[in-house]
Amino acid sequence: MPFLSKQDAPEKKKVHLNFFETACTGNHECSGQWSAPGDNSRTKDRLKHYLDLAKLAEKHKITCIFFADTYAGHDIYGGNMDVVLRAGVQVAQLDPLVIISAMAAVTESLSFGVTGSVTYIPPFALARTFSSLDHLTEGRVAWNVVTSFSNAAAAAFGKELLPSAERYEMGDEYMDVIYKLWNGSWADDSAKYDEVNRVAYEPSRIKKIEHEGKHLKLSARHQLHPSPQRTPVIFQAGTSKSGQAFAARHAEAIYIGGMVPSHAAAGRDPTTMKFFAAISPFIGKTMEEAQAKFDLAYKHADILGGLGQFSGYTGIDMSKYPLDEEFNLDLSNPKENMIQGFLGNFVDSLETNQQPWTPRRLGYKMALGGLHPSPVGTPEMIADVMQSWIDEADVDGFNIAYISNPGSSEDVVNLLIPVLRERGMIFDDYAVPGGTFRENLLRQPGQKTLRSDHYGSQFNYENDLDVLKEASDAVEVNGNGH
C-alpha cells in the first residue's frame, strides 16, 4: 500500500471554542462556587464583568460567548426555589440581550449567542430586537431558539404549559413568521438615501407581512431595514423527537447533549450545520494542581443547589429521595427511568462507575460541572478528552462552562488554548476578522446571510408572499415537515 505524502494526508479537523455563560449574579452551573476564595461571581450584575470577559475572549480568538437563559427559575425541588436561591445558582438573572451591544463595542470579531423563547416573546418584538443587535454588532449575533419547557415560565407569563410536540408545532409557525419579517419584508435595495429625489427608503420595495395561522396572527412591516446577516445565526438544542426535527429544519449550530450529528437531516448539507458539545474542565499545570482546584471546588459545592438544578431540568422533585440512600429506581416509572438515563450517561471526574449513586453524589456531580463532562487534568489531558469528542462524535466546537470565575476562563486561555493550538485542534484566527458570525462560524467569507439550502432562505422579498403562504400551509399539512 503506498504511503500518503504529507500533502495527501487528510487535514486535521479544527474546531471552535465558545465561552458558555448565563447572565446571573452568582454561578451559572456550579452551585456554591461564589463562596470560594478569588471567585467574583457575585459581581456579575455589573457591566465590567462582561466587558472584561469579551476582551479576554477576543484576544484569544474565542468564536462566541453563548448566553443560556431561563424564565422564572427552578422551583421543582421541595416545591420552591429555596435551595437554588441559597446556593446562588441560576438566580438573580439579568436579561442578556441588553448586555450584548456593550460587549460588541469593545470587540471587533467576537460573536454573541443569546437565548430567546418562541413560546413567550411575540415574533414581531423578537425580530426587531435581534435585527437591532445585528446592526449594532455589525452582524455578530446568534439566536438560540428555545420553546421553554417549565411550568414556572408558563405561570410567569400567565399561560398554560403546552406539550412538547405542540410547542414545536407553534415554533415552526413562529419561524415562518420571523423569516418573513427578516427576509421578506424589505428588499435588499430598499434603503436609497437618494438626495436628488429625496428618498430615504423606497416604499415600493417594502412589504407588509400578513400572516394568520393556527397559533399566530400578524399584520406588519418589519420595523428595521436589512441588517448585515438579516437572519441571525440560528442555534438550537432540542433533544426530544420534535426538538431534533425542529433543529434539523432550522438550526445552523446545534448544542448537543444526547444528540449526535447523524440526526441532522431535512436535505441540508450536514457539513454546514455545526455541532457543539459542552465541557467544564478543571485545568492545572500539573495533575496535582488540577486536583487541588477540584478539591477546592468540592469543598464549596452546594449539593442541594445542584439537586435543585437537576430537579428544574427534569421536572422531578429530588427532595423526595433520602440524601444518602442509594437510588433504587423503578425503571417502569418514566420519571425514575429518566433519572437512570442521566446517571448512566455521566462521564466525569467522580469515578461514576466505582461508587453507588445517591442523591448526595448526584448533587455533587451537578455542582461540579452540571450535565457536562468535567475532566480533571493537565492541559494535555483535557486536550485528549476534547480530541476524543472530535474523533468519536465529529463535533465542530465546544461550549466551555466555567467552574470558578474568572479562574476557569483564565485557565482556558492561558493553559489549554496554547496546547490546542500547538496540536492544530483550533483555528489560529477568525476566518473574517471583523466579519459576521455566520462567516466566521462556517468559515465562508462573504456568506453573511442564510445559505441557499437553508429552509428560511425561501422567505425572501422577491418571492411572492402567496407562494410563501403555500409553503407554510404545506408544512402544516405534512405534520410540520417532520
Side-chain angles (χ1 to χ4, degrees), residues 48-350:
K48 183 179 184 301
H49 166 82
Y50 300 97
L51 300 185
D52 289 346
L53 182 65
K55 288 185 280 190
L56 180 73
E58 176 153 288
K59 179 180 178 181
H60 295 277
K61 312 301 182 185
I62 297 293
T63 299
C64 168
I65 297 177
F66 182 96
F67 283 93
D69 194 27
T70 57
Y71 296 124
H74 300 310
D75 64 356
I76 302 298
Y77 189 94
N80 56 57
M81 289 183 61
D82 291 0
V83 292
V84 291
L85 286 166
R86 292 192 185 100
V89 59
Q90 292 186 17
V91 293
Q93 290 178 276
L94 286 70
D95 184 341
L97 286 163
V98 304
I99 304 170
I100 301 306
S101 58
M103 299 173 79
V106 297
T107 56
E108 294 182 356
S109 302
L110 177 71
S111 293
F112 308 92
V114 195
T115 299
S117 173
V118 299
T119 303
Y120 302 122
I121 307 176
F124 180 81
L126 188 142
R128 184 173 76 151
T129 296
F130 274 89
S131 288
S132 299
L133 284 178
D134 204 52
H135 277 299
L136 295 174
T137 65
E138 300 186 58
R140 293 183 284 140
V141 67
W143 172 30
N144 177 41
V145 184
V146 299
T147 64
S148 300
F149 61 87
S150 76
N151 281 296
F157 286 93
K159 297 188 176 184
E160 295 294 324
L161 181 64
L162 297 174
S164 175
E166 190 172 349
R167 293 200 312 273
Y168 280 107
E169 177 186 79
M170 183 175 73
D172 268 322
E173 184 181 340
Y174 189 110
M175 297 303 291
D176 282 1
V177 172
I178 212 158
Y179 290 142
K180 292 177 185 180
L181 289 168
W182 279 328
N183 303 321
S185 185
W186 295 60
D188 287 338
D189 61 355
S190 54
K192 298 294 187 183
Y193 286 98
D194 180 344
E195 295 180 7
V196 174
N197 296 301
R198 298 189 59 76
V199 177
Y201 301 98
E202 174 51 55
S204 68
R205 301 294 287 164
I206 303 167
K207 289 180 180 178
K208 193 174 187 180
I209 303 301
E210 303 287 353
H211 177 91
E212 186 165 358
K214 179 178 178 181
H215 300 280
L216 299 167
K217 181 178 180 180
L218 175 140
S219 176
R221 295 169 183 83
H222 186 36
Q223 204 159 355
L224 275 170
H225 54 296
S227 64
Q229 297 184 118
R230 278 195 177 257
T231 300
V233 170
I234 304 295
F235 268 80
Q236 219 276 321
T239 56
S240 67
K241 184 177 180 180
S242 299
Q244 291 179 19
F246 183 90
R249 175 180 292 275
H250 300 291
E252 297 173 273
I254 297 176
Y255 172 46
I256 59 171
M259 279 187 75
V260 295
S262 60
H263 290 146
R268 289 168 54 201
D269 180 357
T271 63
T272 69
M273 301 176 70
K274 303 302 178 185
F275 294 83
F276 288 81
I279 189 170
S280 303
F282 295 83
I283 313 168
K285 295 177 183 176
T286 64
M287 184 61 206
E288 291 73 21
E289 182 179 285
Q291 186 63 48
K293 291 178 180 180
F294 175 83
D295 292 343
L296 179 65
Y298 190 89
K299 177 181 177 182
H300 289 270
D302 190 308
I303 59 171
L304 294 184
L307 289 172
Q309 285 178 268
F310 187 86
S311 295
Y313 295 154
T314 62
I316 301 168
D317 184 0
M318 299 304 295
S319 70
K320 297 179 179 179
Y321 296 88
L323 200 58
D324 292 304
E325 288 187 15
E326 183 176 357
F327 283 115
N328 182 18
L329 301 172
D330 177 5
L331 300 187
S332 66
N333 180 309
K335 289 190 174 182
E336 296 205 341
N337 188 56
M338 184 189 297
I339 296 173
Q340 182 59 46
F342 278 106
L343 300 183
N345 286 329
F346 281 141
V347 179
D348 61 25
S349 53
L350 297 179

Side-chain angles (χ1 to χ4, degrees), residues 438-458:
R438 187 169 283 109
E439 289 174 293
N440 283 313
L441 176 69
L442 300 179
R443 299 194 68 82
Q444 295 176 5
Q447 188 63 57
K448 296 181 180 181
T449 58
L450 289 172
R451 285 173 51 99
S452 61
D453 62 351
H454 188 284
Y455 171 78
S457 67
Q458 68 181 300

Side-chain angles (χ1 to χ4, degrees), residues 172 249 474-476 478-482:
D172 268 322
R249 175 180 292 275
V475 169
E476 184 174 342
N478 292 319
N480 298 308
H482 301 163

